[in-house]
Amino acid sequence: MRKPGTKVLHIQDIDYHSNCLTLVRCLTQLRAWSNTNAGHVPIAVLLEFKDTPWNIPGVKTVVPPAWTRPLMLGVEREIAGVFRRHDLITPDDVRRPGMTLERSVLTHGWPTLRSARGKVMFLMDNEGAIHDRYTAGNPSLEHRLIFTNGVPGRPDAAFVKRNDPDGRAAGADPGPGAPRGTSCGRAPTPTLCRRAAATPGCGTRPWPAARSG
């Protein structure tokens, strides 16, 4: 835990009893399961990059480093160090030439379930500044490994998170309705953490938008 690298937990100093403490170890376990279960449905790993400090009166807590773009690209290197490129579904696999990522999924859809079997994809839970740092310079997620939680109408909006699909929580709905063709994910999510680098969360869930052809 003292070594540099991404750690997996929910809340620093409060909820940190993860089954696997480092992202690399979690991904290694996932890869082993995937290799043992060839042809499984595609798996989506939801990553939440957390860097919010907790202010608890009378309690000294860890102040996590901010998630900068270089640190998020470091997470990509950890992913690429565990999974081979052809084991992943990435934005470059979905985006069509001359189109944004959003327009590609709205026009042509996602890869078929048949072509996506046995693969893993990564989704970012975050909105706001962390999202914007990751998409800076690659608004349609060119050469990136992680699908971002997009806002309908923006180039990266292939995946739209809905924490409250019933719309009962204030601010839970990302818009009047996610465009048909986008992949919608639902929280809750776990969390990642970086030693001398960051604090996020990570969970696996079935891919909800695979086509059956």
Side-chain angles (χ1 to χ4, degrees):
M1 289 295 287
R2 294 184 178 277
K3 296 180 180 179
T6 306
K7 307 304 183 291
V8 177
L9 51 89
H10 183 214
I11 302 172
Q12 69 271 19
D13 298 316
I14 299 174
D15 187 1
Y16 48 81
H17 292 290
S18 303
N19 290 326
C20 45
L21 296 177
T22 69
L23 179 61
V24 168
R25 179 171 292 184
C26 291
L27 297 182
T28 300
Q29 293 177 8
L30 178 58
R31 182 192 63 191
W33 183 92
S34 178
N35 289 342
T36 303
N37 295 273
H40 61 76
V41 297
I43 295 173
V45 179
L46 185 61
L47 302 174
E48 183 176 13
F49 296 80
K50 288 189 174 180
D51 55 14
T52 303
W54 285 84
N55 297 315
I56 303 175
V59 178
K60 184 178 180 181
T61 59
V62 171
V63 178
W67 273 107
T68 63
R69 179 178 171 85
L71 291 179
M72 287 185 275
L73 297 185
V75 171
E76 287 193 346
R77 288 191 292 272
E78 290 180 300
I79 293 171
V82 175
F83 288 98
R84 297 167 295 183
R85 177 62 184 82
H86 67 266
D87 292 329
L88 299 173
I89 301 167
T90 73
D92 287 342
D93 297 325
V94 178
R95 192 188 325 96
R96 297 299 182 98
M99 291 185 173
T100 66
L101 184 58
E102 183 194 46
R103 179 49 50 193
S104 296
V105 299
L106 294 180
T107 304
H108 300 284
W110 288 78
T112 64
L113 178 59
R114 181 179 302 167
S115 68
R117 282 190 174 278
K119 297 188 177 185
V120 176
M121 65 187 293
F122 290 84
L123 313 176
M124 178 184 290
D125 181 80
N126 302 78
E127 305 164 357
I130 290 177
H131 166 280
D132 294 345
R133 288 176 207 143
Y134 185 73
T135 58
N138 37 253
S140 204
L141 301 178
E142 299 85 350
H143 311 302
R144 299 275 61 86
L145 295 186
I146 303 171
F147 290 89
T148 48
N149 172 23
V151 174
R154 293 187 180 179
D156 63 313
F159 156 67
V160 177
K161 179 191 72 175
R162 289 181 183 274
N163 274 345
D164 178 14
D166 296 326
R168 289 174 292 191
D173 194 339
R180 184 175 182 180
T182 56
S183 173
C184 293
R186 179 176 181 175
T189 327
T191 304
L192 301 179
C193 227
R194 197 116 167 118
R195 182 75 184 184
T199 308
C202 144
T204 61
R205 52 193 300 116
W207 191 25
R211 294 183 290 123
S212 60

